[in-house]
Amino acid sequence: MVVPGFVFGLVLPLILPAGTSADVGFRFASYINNYMVLQKEPAGAVIWGYGISGATVTVTLYQQQEAIMKKVTSVKARSHSWMVVLDPMKPGGPYNVMAQQTFRRKNITLRVHDVLFGDVWLCSGQSNMQMTVSQVFNATKELANTAAYQSVRIFSVSLIQAEQELEDLAQVDLQWAKPTSENLGHGIFTYMSAVCWLFGRYLYDTLQYPIGLISSSWAGTPIEAWSSGRSLRACGVMTRGLIQSDFVTGPSKYSVLWNAMIHPLHNMTLKGVIWYQGESNVNFNRDLYNCTFPALIEDWRQTFHRGSQGQTERFFPFGFVQLSSYLSATSDDTFPQIRWHQTADFGYVPNARMPSTFMAVAMDLCDRKSPFGSIHPRDKQTVAYRLHLGARAVAYGEKLIFQGPLPENMELLADKGLLNLTYSLEIQVQRQHNIFEISCCSDHQCKWLPAPLDTVSAQSLALNVRSCRGTPAALRYAWATWPCEYKQCPLYHPGSALPAPPFVAFLTDLRPGAHRRLAE
């Protein structure tokens, strides 16, 4: 299934859920197939499907010709579905899975082969997640680099909408497969997701066991399309009017992609999710994104935990990409606002509202000459690398630096015209650039003024705020749609080359000479 154009989404007919008839055929769920990866220990993988009401279903796991596990269940009367949870398995394979339905002394047998156990990650979002490996820098080299990654298996969901929650996928673009140059670079904005693939490849380099990657994304879509009605109501999102925005070119009706492209996967046992979305909310419900995004994460976690019979962790790791840069004809601060709201207005993750999350900062990965438009930068390798660092820390408990320096303390030295900032990590000034700004207020009016760097030490810096003749009210960093050129933002961590994320902090309660802690 091909998506025409670049950011444009193909609007397909809505799929309406149909009642399952009593003569439903015996089958596995749509995504249980040859070459799949099932979630490894400590969780148990879920195997499920459909059959004749009241029939007995026996699921057997084989290694070569030896049966090593057997589970028995029955087909439910109302849903005509059956489900078993396998015992936790160590990573590896290959295995074969056989399911046999017995009804009135008649047996029907299904088999899938070359099944691996490892970690399963779901990748979702809009066009920057949908961009394929054929669209990134050094595409030819990346497409050819598959021989060492035959245990990283890929799967891509079709672009489908639905008015109500579907229990199974209506259509699949790419069934479980080993990676090839053809299925990694099938076309433009089709499959396989470059961020998803590269993230999985980096994880495999570290973990050295199978990784399953499921891509379910659609260009030009707002977060409301990926959210359940429950999570939208929790944020007071009620209006269903038409959206007028250059950034919304795909389906925008509330919940239609949650219903058709995410909910059908909820019985699956997952390790975690990565997400790249937000551009389509720059001019739509932007001020609600600090609620709708955390609410989406919480709702997905609840739904997958319940659907997998508690096998998917209740607070499974959820990683996301903070929006990159965009060459805009206007100089508003809508992009910086979305970047801030992506963190629930903390400026960093994990935080109290977004536990077990990790973020890849991408504002310094701009691409003026992208043939797909500057909103689609081609360096997805660095995006995926930064994401995988977060996963190693948050999902796998590895002790490593996975985010750039965060401001921890602030001190106003009014007599010297300086504002001191202390950071959580060592900082390196890449280049002198007036990217700090101070809000200066007088006569009930405030204006943002440059706050140039004065001095820099290993873990702190001083800003010159003498231009402020009134009262300093707030400080912000990298608060622009295009804050810097490619990998040339001012502040990075020297060892990891991770950029300091953008932030805004209010100073109204900061007395001269007093300290304020910014990050908890």
Side-chain angles (χ1 to χ4, degrees):
M1 188 174 298
V2 177
V3 182
F6 299 141
V7 73
F8 301 98
L10 177 63
V11 180
L12 301 178
L14 293 177
I15 302 295
L16 299 177
T20 309
S21 63
D23 60 350
V24 64
F26 180 52
R27 67 174 179 87
F28 286 118
S30 59
Y31 53 80
I32 295 176
N33 216 307
N34 302 331
Y35 308 114
M36 67 179 173
V37 176
L38 295 173
Q39 183 58 42
K40 72 169 188 68
E41 63 179 8
V46 173
I47 302 290
W48 73 282
Y50 294 96
I52 299 174
S53 177
T56 298
V57 176
T58 303
V59 176
T60 309
L61 183 68
Y62 289 90
Q63 188 166 35
Q64 297 178 344
Q65 302 301 317
E66 180 185 359
I68 63 173
M69 189 188 308
K70 185 174 290 188
K71 300 289 180 178
V72 180
T73 189
S74 58
V75 180
K76 297 177 182 177
R78 287 191 62 185
S79 64
H80 301 281
S81 65
W82 54 268
M83 178 183 292
V84 300
V85 178
L86 300 181
D87 298 337
M89 293 288 296
K90 293 185 181 300
Y95 297 89
N96 296 326
V97 177
M98 183 182 78
Q100 185 175 74
Q101 174 181 268
T102 303
F103 185 74
R104 294 176 182 173
R105 293 185 292 181
K106 182 180 179 181
N107 294 333
I108 302 176
T109 301
L110 305 172
R111 292 182 176 85
V112 294
H113 68 268
D114 201 347
V115 175
L116 303 178
F117 284 87
D119 282 338
V120 181
W121 286 84
L122 170 61
C123 312
S124 188
Q126 55 181 108
S127 54
N128 271 304
M129 182 62 83
Q130 199 177 9
M131 282 180 72
T132 67
V133 181
S134 62
Q135 295 176 261
V136 304
F137 283 133
N138 301 315
T140 301
K141 177 183 176 182
E142 300 292 5
L143 289 170
N145 188 15
T146 61
Y149 299 102
Q150 293 300 292
S151 291
V152 181
R153 307 290 174 82
I154 57 177
F155 179 98
S156 190
V157 176
S158 291
L159 308 185
I160 298 290
Q161 305 174 61
E163 289 283 5
Q164 298 178 33
E165 292 177 346
L166 303 184
E167 292 303 313
D168 196 10
L169 295 171
Q171 194 171 335
V172 172
D173 268 2
L174 176 66
Q175 194 48 265
W176 281 110
K178 297 179 180 180
T180 66
S181 59
E182 290 75 19
N183 59 30
L184 288 177
H186 179 72
I188 305 299
F189 294 103
T190 54
Y191 59 84
M192 177 63 181
S193 162
V195 171
C196 191
W197 163 250
L198 294 166
F199 170 78
R201 202 179 71 184
Y202 284 128
L203 279 185
Y204 181 82
D205 286 341
T206 298
L207 300 171
Q208 291 294 303
Y209 61 67
I211 301 292
L213 301 171
I214 299 164
S215 176
S216 184
S217 52
W218 195 327
T221 51
I223 195 170
E224 290 79 6
W226 298 100
S227 304
S228 73
R230 297 178 299 277
S231 63
L232 293 176
R233 287 190 294 272
C235 294
V237 182
M238 305 299 289
T239 305
R240 286 175 173 260
L242 294 176
I243 301 170
Q244 301 296 324
S245 171
D246 293 341
F247 293 109
V248 181
T249 57
S252 60
K253 196 168 184 180
Y254 295 174
S255 304
V256 292
L257 304 185
W258 158 259
N259 291 339
M261 297 177 65
I262 300 299
H263 188 268
L265 303 169
H266 77 289
N267 291 340
M268 179 184 295
T269 310
L270 293 179
K271 176 64 176 180
V273 169
I274 58 171
W275 171 261
Y276 197 158
Q277 190 278 335
E279 298 92 341
S280 288
N281 285 96
V282 165
N283 294 320
F284 176 67
N285 282 343
R286 178 179 63 253
D287 293 340
L288 293 176
Y289 204 91
N290 58 359
C291 181
T292 51
F293 186 37
L296 175 144
I297 295 172
E298 169 62 14
D299 188 62
W300 284 28
R301 283 171 166 169
Q302 284 191 22
T303 304
F304 277 85
H305 180 69
R306 292 170 182 167
S308 65
Q309 310 301 301
Q311 298 304 307
T312 296
E313 289 183 13
R314 173 63 181 83
F315 294 97
F316 62 73
F318 196 109
F320 64 95
V321 182
Q322 194 177 47
L323 293 192
S324 187
S325 300
Y326 170 60
L327 284 174
S328 174
T330 60
S331 58
D332 58 32
D333 68 344
T334 54
F335 256 65
Q337 287 183 41
I338 284 288
R339 291 187 189 116
W340 185 247
H341 292 335
Q342 285 180 294
T343 68
D345 298 351
F346 280 76
Y348 59 90
V349 296
N351 58 53
R353 291 188 60 201
M354 300 175 67
S356 299
T357 57
F358 53 95
M359 176 176 75
V361 175
M363 65 179 180
D364 65 330
L365 302 180
C366 50
D367 188 354
R368 289 180 178 272
K369 297 181 180 180
S370 172
F372 315 107
S374 64
I375 203 166
H376 298 122
R378 289 166 289 175
D379 182 1
K380 295 298 190 275
Q381 292 90 336
T382 303
V383 170
Y385 182 78
R386 291 174 180 175
L387 271 176
H388 112 281
L389 290 178
R392 286 167 62 182
V394 174
Y396 298 98
E398 191 174 341
K399 301 297 183 184
L400 80 168
I401 292 172
F402 66 98
Q403 54 191 345
L406 302 172
E408 285 192 327
N409 285 288
M410 184 164 51
E411 180 185 12
L412 178 62
L413 302 176
D415 57 330
K416 297 181 180 179
L418 297 176
L419 183 66
N420 286 343
L421 278 178
T422 303
Y423 279 82
S424 60
L425 299 171
E426 186 180 355
I427 57 175
Q428 174 180 321
V429 176
Q430 188 85 356
R431 59 183 299 180
Q432 293 283 348
H433 178 46
N434 288 336
I435 202 169
F436 284 98
E437 297 172 292
I438 191 163
S439 177
C440 190
C441 301
S442 61
D443 297 328
H444 305 289
Q445 290 186 333
C446 298
K447 183 179 181 180
W448 288 103
L449 300 174
L453 283 170
D454 188 86
T455 58
V456 179
S457 62
Q459 210 163 321
S460 64
L461 56 83
L463 300 173
N464 183 332
V465 295
R466 297 184 187 95
S467 61
C468 181
R469 301 299 183 184
T471 303
L475 178 71
R476 66 188 188 185
Y477 170 75
W479 205 263
T481 303
W482 190 284
C484 60
E485 293 303 317
Y486 181 75
K487 294 188 177 181
Q488 289 296 312
C489 277
L491 296 181
Y492 289 81
H493 176 255
S496 64
L498 293 173
F503 75 86
V504 61
F506 294 98
L507 314 178
T508 49
D509 59 347
L510 187 65
R511 303 181 311 277
H515 296 262
R516 182 179 179 187
R517 186 168 180 80
L518 299 179
E520 298 296 335

